[in-house]
Amino acid sequence: MTLIPKSHPRAKSLFIREKLVNGFEKGLVAREGLLAQGRGEAFDYLLGEKTNQAAKRAIKAAAAQLLQAQRPVISINGNVAALCPKEIIELSVHIKAKLEVNLFYTNEKRKQAIIKVLKKNGATEILGTNPKNSTRLQGIDSARRIVDKNGIFTADVVVVPLEDGDRTMALRKAGKKVITFDLNPLSRTSQTANITIVDNVTRAIELLSSEVKKLAGKNEKNLQKIISDFNNKKNLTENIIQIKKNLTRRAKIA
Ligand code: PTJ
């Protein structure tokens, strides 16, 4: 473990990186997960490493969507298990969502390590672990096509943090609402999800739980209005404009 001085101007980002590297060393994260983190860091840097207004709006819409869901499921991959296992489980408790381990770079040993971490952090039921309950989601070639009959397959709303491109489209085609956390507003997942939270999952996940608690008392009509007032394309464009502004500002300083 590297010692990161708290006074370092980018200490928070370096702590996130450290969590991911620790997760890799514990066998939770795929090697490719380190590359995904690098890509995320680049976008986080360009976005100013903070939760912007567009992300806050997406978080509110996601909270409303999750409170309306009948069968919500949170999909867990290696990066998420390393970065925020406790916070993901807390969210699942607030919205009564099932947790399903679903890996792109499938590997039984890694899956078991992820399950262990989730259990250590309080998860009681974890789907995606019993081959007898598995089935295929149409329209994907990767290992992500194998899903749990009682989980993602029958879910109405699926949360897919840090996702690769194909599955979001397949989930949409299967009639599901998709919520993602993705720092890259240009990614296929960002562009095809119903609600894209363009923020670091480590910052946004707790904000989402807080928003769920805030909106929990709202009636169906109010929740529906929050969802229909939200425009994902417009929100993504705002993030792209934000990146452009930050780049221009930095170019002027240089
Ligand atoms: O554990 P597995 O096998 O399921 O694999 C997980 C990874 C993440 C390796 C896999 O899904 C993958 O390769 O994803 P991609 O295609 O690299 O996409 C990940 C997206 O998440 C990219 O657009 C990144 O910018 C973004 N990202 C990376 N870190 C974060 C992030 N978004 C939010 N918060 C982060 N911390």
Side-chain angles (χ1 to χ4, degrees), residues 5 21 150 230:
V21 172
N150 303 315
F230 178 75

Side-chain angles (χ1 to χ4, degrees), residues 208-222:
L208 180 54
S209 279
S210 307
E211 198 62 46
V212 164
K213 280 191 248 169
K214 232 193 264 174
L215 297 182
K218 300 262 181 211
N219 64 29
E220 212 37 39
K221 208 172 141 201
N222 285 331

Side-chain angles (χ1 to χ4, degrees), residues 2-250:
T2 325
L3 263 186
I4 302 163
K6 280 194 180 142
S7 57
H8 191 288
R10 297 192 57 245
K12 280 189 186 161
S13 297
L14 296 178
F15 282 130
I16 300 171
R17 182 188 290 179
E18 196 74 359
K19 269 192 176 181
L20 218 266
V21 172
N22 288 341
F24 176 70
E25 282 166 359
K26 284 187 196 146
L28 301 170
V29 177
R31 273 178 310 176
E32 294 80 354
L34 298 172
L35 301 175
Q37 164 76 13
R39 185 144 48 140
E41 278 186 18
F43 278 100
D44 209 3
Y45 183 77
L46 294 174
L47 283 157
E49 293 174 339
K50 57 179 187 236
T51 308
N52 62 25
Q53 289 306 319
K56 285 181 189 162
R57 274 198 299 277
I59 288 169
K60 188 171 179 185
Q65 187 75 76
L66 286 166
L67 285 166
Q68 265 212 340
Q70 301 294 313
R71 297 174 304 283
V73 175
I74 304 175
S75 182
I76 310 283
N77 64 23
N79 286 47
V80 170
L83 289 174
C84 48
K86 190 170 136 271
E87 294 80 1
I88 277 277
I89 292 159
E90 267 167 25
L91 175 68
S92 77
V93 171
H94 294 315
I95 55 170
K96 298 186 182 62
K98 292 182 179 174
L99 297 168
E100 179 166 340
V101 179
N102 180 282
L103 303 181
F104 184 80
Y105 300 101
T106 187
N107 168 329
E108 197 46 40
K109 201 169 158 208
R110 194 156 65 87
K111 193 183 229 184
Q112 291 309 323
I114 292 170
I115 291 166
K116 200 169 150 198
V117 155
L118 294 177
K119 284 192 175 157
K120 198 173 148 205
N121 281 278
T124 47
E125 193 192 6
I126 304 162
L127 302 179
T129 54
N130 183 354
K132 282 188 191 152
N133 289 340
S134 66
T135 185
R136 280 168 187 234
L137 191 67
Q138 295 302 309
I140 336 177
D141 295 328
S142 77
R144 285 215 197 278
R145 70 187 183 282
I146 310 296
V147 292
D148 198 299
K149 280 182 201 160
N150 303 315
I152 290 171
F153 193 68
T154 42
D156 56 350
V157 180
V158 190
V159 183
V160 292
L162 282 71
E163 183 75 6
D164 51 278
D166 294 339
R167 187 162 62 143
T168 305
M169 186 52 92
L171 290 168
R172 293 285 313 262
K173 281 192 179 148
K176 299 168 197 310
K177 301 271 187 223
V178 181
I179 297 169
T180 191
F181 296 85
D182 193 333
L183 279 159
N184 177 2
L186 299 163
S187 78
R188 276 191 301 147
T189 296
S190 286
Q191 298 281 336
T192 45
N194 296 82
I195 301 171
T196 305
I197 301 167
V198 182
D199 194 12
N200 201 307
V201 68
T202 57
R203 281 192 298 269
I205 189 80
E206 282 179 300
L207 297 176
L208 180 54
S209 279
S210 307
E211 198 62 46
V212 164
K213 280 191 248 169
K214 232 193 264 174
L215 297 182
K218 300 262 181 211
N219 64 29
E220 212 37 39
K221 208 172 141 201
N222 285 331
L223 293 176
Q224 190 48 52
K225 176 148 174 36
I226 294 170
I227 298 165
S228 44
D229 283 352
F230 178 75
N231 181 330
N232 206 42
K233 288 272 178 258
K234 198 168 151 231
N235 226 47
L236 289 170
T237 306
E238 264 187 49
N239 279 296
I240 295 163
I241 292 169
Q242 177 79 57
I243 290 176
K244 269 192 189 166
K245 273 191 195 155
N246 289 349
L247 277 171
T248 313
R249 200 161 37 90
R250 284 185 180 274

